[in-house]
């Protein structure tokens, strides 16, 4: 009689535990913990910056996206100003509205683009500051983001000068550097810039606190920007973004009021976040 050895028992290999759920097997545990989501989905809004997933992923790729998007934004702004400023004085009254519509549309598109979803699509150091004070963006990344945005601003304006030639440096284009009405003093421009960012920060707080707020966030930001440029452009300059004025002012040698266009939005971001905290809209700081 030939004896056949009994088969060895099958010992399962160690591996990630797979637990059943109501709709199928659960994926392996995330290294961030059992409650960590898989990342922003198609309806997660414009990116990690204005949401609870802020700061996930390496900082360098996100900062590069901010720099690239800001550079492209400033390049297109200079291009728009170069072609809007024409010899027809009768169309001068419509230029701020047209420029506002162009910039607002670009911002919304950039926020929804893949690079915008990667970085959060801030494109504005004051927005990064505001999101930090609202508790949805890491404070340690505000300075790297601001450096990337300001660098992108300078690079975008410089590229526009290379493409369009000396006309961008001469009046009335002047690298698209914004200027306030002569009747507006430094204090008035500072108050206008701060007020715009304070209101924008409150808008961000409301949208981030609502269930579907992040879906409409790019459109709200684009519309707000268009209105600010169209209404305040002929008065205070309507910048509301330190990166918007940084590159143009440096290359145009128009730095006399640059501190106003940098400090005003920063103060407004802090003020708006403080008001959001007083009204219970600000999330807990991280």
């Amino acid at each position: 009689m030939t004896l056949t050895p009994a088969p060895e028992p099958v010992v399962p290999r160690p591996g990630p535990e797979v637990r059943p759920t109501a709709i199928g097997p659960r994926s392996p545990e995330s290294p961030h913990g059992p409650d960590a989501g898989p990342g922003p989905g198609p309806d997660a809004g414009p990116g990690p910056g204005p949401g609870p997933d802020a700061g996930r992923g390496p900082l360098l790729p996100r900062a590069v996206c901010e720099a690239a998007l800001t550079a492209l934004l400033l390049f297109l702004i200079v291009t728009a100003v170069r072609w809007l400023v024409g010899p027809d004085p009768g169309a001068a009254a419509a230029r701020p509205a047209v420029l506002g519509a162009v910039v607002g549309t670009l911002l919304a598109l950039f926020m929804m683009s893949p690079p915008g979803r990667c970085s959060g699509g801030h494109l504005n150091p004051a927005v990064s500051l505001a999101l930090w004070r609202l508790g949805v963006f890491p404070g340690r990344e505000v300075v790297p983001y601001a450096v990337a945005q300001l660098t992108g601003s300078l690079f975008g304006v410089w590229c526009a000068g290379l493409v369009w030639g000396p006309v961008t440096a001469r009046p009335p284009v002047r690298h698209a550097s914004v200027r306030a009405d002569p009747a507006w003093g430094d204090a008035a421009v500072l108050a206008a810039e701060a007020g715009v960012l304070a209101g924008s920060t409150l808008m961000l707080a409301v949208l981030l606190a609502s269930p579907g707020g992040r879906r409409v966030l790019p459109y709200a930001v684009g519309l707000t920007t268009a209105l600010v440029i169209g209404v305040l452009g002929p008065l205070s300059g309507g910048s509301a973004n330190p990166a918007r004025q940084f590159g143009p002012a440096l290359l145009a040698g128009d730095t006399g009021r640059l501190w106003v266009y940098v400090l005003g939005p920063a103060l407004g971001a802090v003020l708006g976040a403080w008001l959001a905290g007083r009204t219970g809209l600000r999330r807990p700081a991280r």
Side-chain angles (χ1 to χ4, degrees):
M1 177 181 297
T2 303
L3 297 179
T4 303
E8 295 182 3
V10 178
V11 180
R13 295 181 179 178
E17 180 184 2
V18 179
R19 287 175 284 182
T21 64
I23 57 174
R26 178 176 174 174
S27 301
E29 292 286 357
S30 167
H32 299 287
D35 296 327
D43 296 326
D53 295 327
R56 285 191 179 177
L59 172 61
L60 182 59
R62 290 184 284 114
V64 169
C65 287
E66 281 291 299
L69 287 175
T70 308
L72 181 58
L73 177 65
L74 265 295
F75 175 86
L76 294 175
I77 286 176
V78 176
T79 299
V81 172
R82 183 255 181 272
W83 292 107
L84 280 174
V85 177
D88 181 11
R95 289 169 189 161
V98 174
L99 183 61
V102 169
V103 177
T105 301
L106 288 174
L107 276 177
L109 292 175
F110 286 175
M111 290 176 70
M112 293 184 293
S113 69
R117 293 176 64 85
C118 172
S119 68
H122 300 182
L123 309 181
N124 185 340
V127 169
S128 299
L129 178 62
L131 292 171
W132 167 47
R133 299 309 302 159
L134 289 174
V136 296
F137 187 69
R140 66 184 178 275
E141 296 185 358
V142 172
V143 172
Y145 261 50
V147 171
Q149 293 151 355
L150 296 178
T151 302
S153 170
L154 192 60
F155 184 71
V157 178
W158 178 75
C159 289
L162 288 181
V163 172
W164 301 117
V167 67
T168 61
R170 294 195 296 261
V173 180
R174 296 182 58 84
H175 297 290
S177 177
V178 300
R179 287 189 171 188
D181 186 277
W184 282 58
D186 289 350
V189 177
L190 185 71
E193 292 286 298
V196 168
L197 253 296
S200 299
T201 302
L202 287 172
M203 179 191 72
L204 289 174
V206 170
L207 292 177
L208 291 172
S210 61
R214 281 199 290 171
R215 297 184 182 183
V216 301
L217 188 55
Y219 310 103
V221 170
L223 179 59
T224 301
T225 301
L227 291 175
V228 168
I229 295 175
V231 175
L232 289 179
L235 303 175
S236 68
S239 171
N241 181 349
R244 162 64 182 89
Q245 179 68 344
F246 182 75
L250 286 185
L251 291 182
D254 192 15
T255 58
R257 277 187 172 176
L258 180 59
W259 68 273
V260 175
Y261 291 105
V262 171
L263 181 61
L267 291 176
V270 174
L271 175 62
W274 178 80
L275 292 174
R278 296 286 294 179
T279 56
L281 294 176
R282 187 176 64 190
R283 299 185 179 189
R286 304 179 357 147

